[in-house]
Amino acid sequence: MKKISLFAAVAALAAVVAGSAQAQQTLETVKKRGQVICGVAQSLPGFANPDAQGNWAGFDVDICRAVAAAIFGDDKRVKYVPTTAKERFTALQSGEVDFLARNTTWTMSRDTQLGFDFVGVNFYDGQGFMVPKKLGVKSALELKGATVCTQTGTTTEQNLADFFRANKMDYKVVAFEKNEEVKAAYDSGRCDVFTTDRSGLAADRTSLKVPSDHVILPEVISKEPLGPLVRHGDNNWGDIVRWSFFAMVNAEELGVTAANVEEMKKSNNPEIKRMLGVEGDFGKMVGLDNNWAANIIKLVGNYGESYDRNVGEKTPIGLSRGINALWTKGGLQYAPPIR
């Protein structure tokens, strides 16, 4: 029996080692393939949305572009795989996508039980409620007896239950697998309330029949730190996705933009020199060219440029920076230094 147990233990260890070795090959696989495969939302204006020609754009899409720019010096070398909230984790676990950049909330269970690593928070959010103005509702505390539309496979269902139970209100939930189904049901009057992350509500409102007929209530009932995630087991790949995002945040803080990146290579600031590959071998540390960050900024822009272009106050989404401002301006966005 001891021999059998020892054999089983050795076999299990061999399987773990083999799995780890396979996982470590993500960057090599991506380079041989010639493109990054990125899991995104099916259609969420401002975050991930294809145009009539199938060209994807959005705040989350820019993370996909940044990783491609870091690896290939070409932000167009991305294949976008739209996934539902329910399908997204299976797509990542199975290897169908290299990573997810799909408004996904970082939670303990997802981080520890599903075999994933979250690499950062590109959008700090919270769950909210949207209602038709004609209902005259001013607060979520007035929603007793409401019918609420939401999406399955998300954190919103549990948050919704917690909120109504804590406030001793009854409600009826109508859940759908796809966000487009949730939005259509709400827009047709099948439910009184649409609940999801407040950024998602702002995005979805733009495509309702009459956007101005709907209001997002003031309550924020949860913490929803949204960010990209990778599979456990390939630390180098996780580093590449993580530092591609951090480079965009650091670039905004240091005043490096898509327009001035080449000129900024002449800067006397040591931090800028390291980030743009003028000094040090920081790209080589993760198996990339030392121009990795410069390519991201030149082709995609810094964090602030991406935010303003896709979801900022001058876009139809109309989101102020709020807590997504840099730490130097009272927000939460703070990236470790490149040194």
Side-chain angles (χ1 to χ4, degrees):
M1 289 297 292
K2 288 182 179 180
K3 289 182 178 179
I4 293 174
S5 297
L6 179 61
F7 177 80
V10 171
L13 178 61
V16 170
V17 171
S20 178
Q22 184 177 15
Q24 292 286 345
Q25 297 174 0
T26 306
L27 177 59
E28 182 181 347
T29 299
V30 167
K31 285 182 173 180
K32 287 182 178 179
R33 185 196 300 134
Q35 63 178 183
V36 176
I37 301 179
C38 193
V40 295
Q42 288 187 312
S43 179
L44 189 62
F47 288 86
N49 203 36
D51 62 18
Q53 288 72 44
N55 299 309
W56 286 82
F59 190 59
D60 287 334
V61 165
D62 280 356
I63 300 295
C64 307
R65 295 173 58 211
V67 173
I71 297 170
F72 300 111
D74 183 352
D75 66 310
K76 294 182 174 60
R77 294 174 73 168
V78 184
K79 176 183 178 181
Y80 298 98
V81 176
T83 63
T84 66
K86 186 177 180 179
E87 297 168 340
R88 58 185 160 172
F89 298 131
T90 301
L92 182 58
Q93 289 166 332
S94 67
E96 181 184 352
V97 300
D98 298 318
F99 73 102
L100 286 178
R102 191 202 174 284
N103 61 306
T104 299
T105 302
W106 188 345
T107 68
M108 182 175 181
S109 58
R110 290 173 175 176
D111 198 29
T112 63
Q113 299 299 303
L114 298 182
F116 301 143
D117 287 325
F118 283 80
V119 300
V121 179
N122 72 323
F123 196 94
Y124 290 94
D125 208 348
Q127 187 172 332
F129 301 95
M130 180 164 62
V131 298
K133 287 182 179 179
K134 65 182 180 181
L135 292 184
V137 173
K138 303 298 182 183
S139 167
L141 296 174
E142 301 172 25
L143 295 177
K144 182 178 181 179
T147 300
V148 185
C149 276
T150 190
Q151 190 176 9
T152 59
T154 66
T155 58
T156 59
E157 290 178 287
Q158 184 62 57
N159 294 336
L160 180 65
D162 290 347
F163 176 78
F164 275 83
R165 183 172 65 248
N167 289 285
K168 299 179 180 179
M169 299 189 300
D170 62 313
Y171 72 104
K172 179 180 179 182
V173 65
V174 181
F176 300 87
E177 181 178 341
K178 298 180 180 179
N179 186 61
E180 287 298 312
E181 296 172 332
V182 181
K183 184 168 59 176
Y186 170 75
D187 208 16
S188 68
R190 185 171 173 183
C191 47
D192 308 308
V193 185
F194 183 176
T195 186
T196 188
D197 299 340
R198 286 170 62 86
S199 63
L201 294 176
D204 284 328
R205 181 168 58 180
T206 64
S207 56
L208 297 178
K209 294 174 185 176
V210 186
S212 61
D213 284 351
H214 305 269
V215 61
I216 298 173
L217 299 178
E219 286 83 1
V220 180
I221 68 168
S222 69
K223 293 189 296 184
E224 305 296 332
L226 310 178
L229 56 157
V230 298
R231 289 180 294 275
H232 275 319
D234 190 338
N235 293 337
N236 183 64
W237 180 247
D239 288 342
I240 289 170
V241 180
R242 178 180 299 107
W243 283 97
S244 293
F245 167 60
F246 285 161
M248 295 176 70
V249 177
N250 277 321
E252 182 184 9
E253 182 180 337
L254 294 169
V256 184
T257 68
N260 71 14
V261 61
E262 292 301 324
E263 183 65 24
M264 291 295 270
K265 288 182 178 180
K266 303 173 186 177
S267 169
N268 291 322
N269 186 322
E271 291 186 80
I272 294 175
K273 286 180 176 291
R274 289 191 293 266
M275 181 174 68
L276 300 183
V278 178
E279 292 183 356
D281 284 325
F282 294 92
K284 291 181 181 178
M285 290 180 182
V286 290
L288 302 178
D289 186 274
N290 282 334
N291 285 321
W292 66 281
N295 288 334
I296 291 172
I297 302 161
K298 183 177 181 178
L299 297 171
V300 184
N302 66 36
Y303 179 86
E305 290 179 295
S306 176
Y307 191 104
D308 291 343
R309 178 174 64 243
N310 293 296
V311 300
E313 291 182 295
K314 294 183 179 180
T315 70
I317 311 301
L319 297 175
S320 64
R321 284 292 290 268
I323 58 175
N324 287 293
L326 294 179
W327 68 283
T328 53
K329 297 182 178 180
L332 297 178
Q333 285 298 344
Y334 182 111
I338 298 174
R339 63 169 183 257

